[in-house]
Amino acid sequence: MSGAGQSAGGGRAKLIARVERIHDHAPDTRSLFLSLVDGKYLRFVPGQFISITIPLGDEVRSRPYTIASSPEDRGSFEICFNEVPGGRGVAWLFERSVGDTIEFAGPFGSFTMEQVPQVEIGLIAEGTAIAPIRPILKRAFAASSIPKMHLIYAAPDQQHLLYRAELDEYARAEPNFTFEPVIAAADAIYDRLLELAQQRWIDADADRTRQFYICGVGKGVIRLRDLLRGSGYERRAVHYEQW
Ligand SMILES: Cc1cc2nc3c(=O)[nH]c(=O)nc-3n(C[C@H](O)[C@H](O)[C@H](O)COP(=O)(O)OP(=O)(O)OC[C@H]3O[C@@H](n4cnc5c(N)ncnc54)[C@H](O)[C@@H]3O)c2cc1C
């Protein structure tokens, strides 16, 4: 569970990808499907991100975007993002068209599951922060022994619960996987997630062997992390990525 960027072929060297396809999940949420212009496949570990160079005229930004697809999905790789109030970096990404090129470095990041743990796994995400969880889940499903996994995934409405059909299908096909979609007002999402985590993984039993993968935006992620760690789960068992 540590910096797999280099081992996955990443590094600071700049790479160039072409936009092959665009998919709109919702008016404010989009996926870009990218291919390296040199024809090679990007090597990465599920859960990693790339760092995109965003030239804005008055400044050049570098922003991380998680790879929402799996290494096994040969061909292009996917990033998924949403509009942010005042977010000029992501606004630039929304302006990209098919055929445009994007410069990036990576992959980077240690929010990964390189060894599938043989204990129960709790996964928590909201909105586009399902991006790292999606390939992590797929990796776990490919393990010779699939651990028991429960995903709590929240959004303000149905259209922002991304990859819903795919997640429902996993829940139907994989006896060890359960999926709990949650609709909550944007400003109440983390209160709801905290409540559900408390009920399911703290109050329900005394088992503290579980591992957790939490991804989301802002301080709510830290509140979830602290709730679980403060309730007896080991520090290193609670993996999190805060956007
Ligand atoms: C490791 C990592 C991986 C990330 N992966 C993704 C990804 O796959 N998809 C994605 O959409 N974003 C992702 N982000 C966030 C992304 O890098 C940018 O921060 C975001 O797009 C806003 O950048 P900006 O330059 O437009 O605005 P900024 O001016 O830099 O940000 C404005 C504010 O928006 C908040 N913010 C950041 N991301 C979001 C979001 N998704 N929704 C609402 N508010 C947000 C920030 O906390 C900041 O306060 C990731 C961040 C990190 C640290």
Side-chain angles (χ1 to χ4, degrees):
M1 252 296 304
S2 65
Q6 304 306 321
S7 64
R12 293 271 154 210
K14 296 290 183 181
L15 298 168
I16 309 286
R18 186 174 37 244
V19 178
E20 301 290 352
R21 187 159 69 86
I22 295 173
H23 171 73
D24 284 331
H25 300 268
D28 63 352
T29 307
R30 168 170 289 185
S31 279
L32 296 184
F33 294 81
L34 304 168
S35 289
L36 295 180
V37 293
D38 64 9
K40 293 184 179 153
Y41 292 118
L42 182 70
R43 290 183 59 224
F44 62 96
V45 176
Q48 287 191 308
F49 61 86
I50 56 170
S51 192
I52 298 185
T53 305
I54 301 181
L56 293 177
D58 54 340
E59 63 167 305
V60 177
R61 284 185 188 183
S62 177
R63 289 286 182 272
Y65 290 91
T66 305
I67 304 171
S69 51
S70 289
E72 298 76 28
D73 305 338
R74 302 301 264 177
S76 56
F77 60 96
E78 178 182 353
I79 56 167
C80 170
F81 45 87
N82 59 280
E83 282 173 10
V84 169
R88 290 174 63 213
V90 78
W92 180 90
L93 266 187
F94 270 96
E95 288 160 10
R96 297 310 96 201
S97 304
V98 169
D100 285 354
T101 54
I102 285 174
E103 186 185 86
F104 70 96
F108 302 118
S110 56
F111 183 71
T112 57
M113 187 193 283
E114 292 192 65
Q115 301 273 320
V116 177
Q118 290 307 306
V119 293
E120 188 180 331
I121 302 174
L123 305 118
I124 309 175
E126 53 117 345
T128 47
I130 193 71
I133 302 292
R134 186 185 181 219
I136 283 174
L137 269 179
K138 212 164 163 184
R139 172 58 55 91
F141 291 141
S144 52
S145 169
I146 301 173
K148 198 171 164 206
M149 292 184 284
H150 184 74
L151 168 64
I152 303 179
Y153 177 30
D157 52 46
Q158 294 288 348
Q159 70 172 340
H160 290 91
L161 282 175
L162 313 181
Y163 312 106
R164 177 69 198 266
E166 180 180 304
L167 294 168
D168 283 336
E169 180 50 35
Y170 285 148
R172 261 192 300 275
E174 301 287 349
N176 276 0
F177 174 64
T178 43
F179 168 41
E180 185 175 358
V182 175
I183 301 293
D187 60 358
I189 279 185
Y190 283 95
D191 287 343
R192 186 75 188 120
L193 289 174
L194 282 151
E195 202 173 82
L196 291 170
Q198 174 85 38
Q199 284 167 12
R200 180 169 284 279
W201 292 308
I202 297 169
D203 294 345
D205 58 35
D207 180 4
R208 294 296 182 267
T209 63
R210 297 180 181 95
Q211 292 214 7
F212 295 93
Y213 285 80
I214 306 164
C215 188
V217 179
K219 292 206 165 57
V221 175
I222 305 303
R223 289 169 64 205
L224 279 164
R225 177 200 71 182
D226 290 348
L227 173 75
L228 292 164
R229 287 182 175 171
S231 305
Y233 289 101
E234 272 188 48
R235 209 184 140 71
R236 63 184 175 164
V238 184
H239 312 273
Y240 68 99
E241 186 134 271
Q242 182 195 17
W243 292 2

